């Protein structure tokens, strides 16, 4: 299989790079801090600038405001955004709930939400995980009871990324506690400003506020905010996961880290006074990491190639997620090794190398192998669906 970009694809890449250069602050190295108001404002500006070109939802069908762009074109977009560590990409709206609404949403839901997502005017968050329901998501307990024309929701969601910035949450709730656990679940669209919704920050180990715990205390959700049929939420909710399980962002981030590390090796001397880049052991490990990134990148292209043909093999998406997150982590791990004791110094320290970024990124991107299904869960899926091994 050979993946090639057309000259139009390359033109698009150049236009995107020009837009990023024009809108990112001079010397921007990222990554953005979602809790920082200035970074969040930049993220909003970037999103609007991207939306104004129609690129935010270019993979959507034209009837919903998209450009029917090929999945390969979309890969270029995501990879470039990640390589620039650019804020403004919107995975929850454009990649997750948008496509779900196109497939399962009512006409009114499509009319109400899709144009806002396409214009970059609404922030969504994903309310799936709960304190006792992560990998085993179907054991979720947040309860929604239909009373007249509204659901009354009680329970707690956890690890909810961007809940502190979100206008709306697409959430899975239990609507029939008597049914087998996969069958009594529904998807609702909840207003994050409704009375009874409380968002509490959780600070992750890199020191950032990126996710939250969200509690629901008698929160009312209008019945028209049910997506798909009542008690059919498992099928609806799972349909977002293949969109979520793409390693392409991780390949973009990993490649940028590799590039910065290569530059560091050219500029920094080892104990023998020669640049690190002249050390055969360093060269060999950097070459291995480069090959690993390339392998992961090709898997993300393979996912897009399947999507282009209208197929969506879950095991290939799982392989791509696994390879991308592990490659990114391996680059950051090697970076920490090369930086040695300097690597743990934070931004602002006079002796910090690469502005203390690698340490923060290594802490932050640990999450890649947990979110959207852990590495172990991806391996299970590859074994069951790809290799058709028995479930034990
Ligand atoms: C940065 C970050 C952002 C997130 N954002 C969101 C979000 O926006 N919305 C949301 O709903 N959730 C979000 N999550 C939650 C994420 O989906 C869960 O953390 C993930 O599904 C794992 O669930 P858990 O944390 O409960 O771990 P558990 O399911 O308790 O797993 C614990 C360990 O057991 C292993 N394990 C569990 N079951 C199996 C099995 N069957 N076979 C082999 N090993 C197994 C796991 O691999 C893991 O190592 C986020 C998580 C992170 C880290």
């Amino acid at each position: 299989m050979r993946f090639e970009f057309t000259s139009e694809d390359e033109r698009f890449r150049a236009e995107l790079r020009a837009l990023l250069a024009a809108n990112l602050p001079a010397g921007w190295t990222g990554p953005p801090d979602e809790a920082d108001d200035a970074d969040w404002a930049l993220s909003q500006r970037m999103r609007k600038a991207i939306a104004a070109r129609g690129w935010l939802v270019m993979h959507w069908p034209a009837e919903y405001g998209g450009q029917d762009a090929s999945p390969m074109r979309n890969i270029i977009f995501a990879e470039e955004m990640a390589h620039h560590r650019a804020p403004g990409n919107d995975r929850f709206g454009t990649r997750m709930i948008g496509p779900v609404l196109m497939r399962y949403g009512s006409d009114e839901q499509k009319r109400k939400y899709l144009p806002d997502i396409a214009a970059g005017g609404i922030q969504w968050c994903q309310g799936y995980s709960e304190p006792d329901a992560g990998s085993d998501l179907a054991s979720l307990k947040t309860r929604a009871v239909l009373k007249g024309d509204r659901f009354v929701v009680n329970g707690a969601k956890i690890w909810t990324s961007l809940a502190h910035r979100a206008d709306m949450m697409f959430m899975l709730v239990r609507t029939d506690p008597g049914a087998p656990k996969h069958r009594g679940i529904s998807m609702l669209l909840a207003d994050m400003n409704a009375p009874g919704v409380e968002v509490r920050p959780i600070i992750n180990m890199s020191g950032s506020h990126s996710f939250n715990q969200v509690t629901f205390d008698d929160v009312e959700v209008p019945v028209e905010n049910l997506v798909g049929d009542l008690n059919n939420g498992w099928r609806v909710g799972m349909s977002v996961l293949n969109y979520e399980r793409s390693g392409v962002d991780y390949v973009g981030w990993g490649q940028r880290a590799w590039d910065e590390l290569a530059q560091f090796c050219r500029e920094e001397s080892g104990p023998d006074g020669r640049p690190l880049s002249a050390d055969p052991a360093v060269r060999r490990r950097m070459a291995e990491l480069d090959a690993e990134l390339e392998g992961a990148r090709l898997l993300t292209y393979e996912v897009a190639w399947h999507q282009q043909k209208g197929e969506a093999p879950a095991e290939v998406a799982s392989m791509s997620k696994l390879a991308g997150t592990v490659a990114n982590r391996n680059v950051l791990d090697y970076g920490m090794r090369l930086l040695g004791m300097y690597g743990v110094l934070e931004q602002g320290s006079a002796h910090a190398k690469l502005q203390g970024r690698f340490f923060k990124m290594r802490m932050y991107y640990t999450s890649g192998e947990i979110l959207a299904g852990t590495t172990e869960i991806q391996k299970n899926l590859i074994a069951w669906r790809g290799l058709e091994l028995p479930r034990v």
Side-chain angles (χ1 to χ4, degrees), residues 284-334:
R284 191 176 61 231
R285 183 67 189 132
M286 287 297 281
E288 283 168 358
L289 290 167
D290 193 31
E292 191 178 345
L293 280 169
E294 187 61 15
R297 177 180 292 109
L298 290 175
L299 274 170
T300 71
Y301 293 175
E302 190 179 338
V303 174
W305 179 75
H306 280 290
Q307 287 172 345
Q308 212 141 285
K309 295 196 301 172
E311 303 162 359
E315 68 276 11
V316 186
S318 291
M319 283 161 64
S320 149
K321 197 238 165 190
L322 181 64
T325 50
V326 171
N328 182 43
R329 188 242 297 154
N330 283 341
V331 173
L332 294 173
D333 271 348
Y334 191 54

Side-chain angles (χ1 to χ4, degrees), residues 86-103:
N89 208 349
D90 166 36
R91 68 191 169 104
F92 294 117
T94 64
R95 288 199 218 170
M96 294 164 81
I97 190 62
V100 165
L101 291 180
M102 285 175 217
R103 187 158 166 202

Side-chain angles (χ1 to χ4, degrees), residues 91-92 96 124-137 157-163 169-170 204 210-212 241 244-245 250 364-380 384 392:
R91 68 191 169 104
F92 294 117
M96 294 164 81
W124 290 85
C125 64
Q126 178 190 26
Y128 282 22
S129 306
E130 297 186 1
D132 293 319
S135 303
D136 182 18
L137 185 59
K157 295 290 174 183
I158 198 163
W159 318 125
T160 322
S161 302
L162 285 178
M169 171 189 281
F170 56 97
N204 66 27
S210 166
F211 48 32
N212 305 270
L241 289 184
E244 197 182 359
R245 285 180 185 153
Y250 291 95
Y364 189 86
Y365 288 121
T366 296
S367 60
E369 291 177 76
I370 302 171
L371 58 81
T374 66
T375 287
E376 290 74 26
I377 296 299
Q378 306 307 329
K379 285 182 179 170
N380 283 348
W384 297 331
V392 285

Side-chain angles (χ1 to χ4, degrees), residues 131-306:
D132 293 319
S135 303
D136 182 18
L137 185 59
S139 58
L140 62 90
K141 294 196 190 76
T142 294
R143 185 83 170 89
V145 179
L146 187 55
K147 290 190 178 157
D149 63 351
R150 37 206 57 223
F151 290 95
V152 177
V153 180
N154 281 285
K157 295 290 174 183
I158 198 163
W159 318 125
T160 322
S161 302
L162 285 178
H164 52 303
R165 300 288 189 187
D167 308 297
M168 295 289 293
M169 171 189 281
F170 56 97
M171 66 187 305
L172 293 178
V173 292
R174 189 154 300 283
T175 36
D176 182 355
K181 66 179 187 178
H182 291 85
R183 300 221 185 107
I185 293 173
S186 301
M187 181 184 275
L188 298 180
L189 308 178
D191 184 342
M192 292 297 286
N193 295 311
V197 178
E198 195 181 332
V199 179
R200 292 189 206 122
I202 303 176
I203 305 302
N204 66 27
M205 70 177 178
S206 76
S208 303
H209 173 198
S210 166
F211 48 32
N212 305 270
Q213 172 144 16
V214 186
T215 52
F216 293 80
D217 183 8
D218 281 336
V219 174
E220 295 190 351
V221 177
V223 71
E224 59 267 23
N225 285 16
L226 170 70
V227 183
D229 294 331
L230 189 67
N231 298 325
N232 196 28
W234 187 253
R235 179 189 288 255
V236 178
M238 288 305 102
S239 68
V240 305
L241 289 184
N242 279 354
Y243 289 99
E244 197 182 359
R245 285 180 185 153
S246 167
V248 64
D249 301 306
Y250 291 95
V251 173
W253 289 320
Q255 186 65 57
R256 174 68 180 264
W258 189 96
D259 293 349
E260 289 180 345
L261 211 50
Q263 185 63 26
F264 174 78
C265 290
R266 280 182 218 111
E267 292 167 357
E268 194 77 9
S269 300
D272 61 0
R274 296 195 317 146
L276 286 171
S277 57
D279 180 330
V282 173
R283 294 173 74 85
R284 191 176 61 231
R285 183 67 189 132
M286 287 297 281
E288 283 168 358
L289 290 167
D290 193 31
E292 191 178 345
L293 280 169
E294 187 61 15
R297 177 180 292 109
L298 290 175
L299 274 170
T300 71
Y301 293 175
E302 190 179 338
V303 174
W305 179 75
H306 280 290

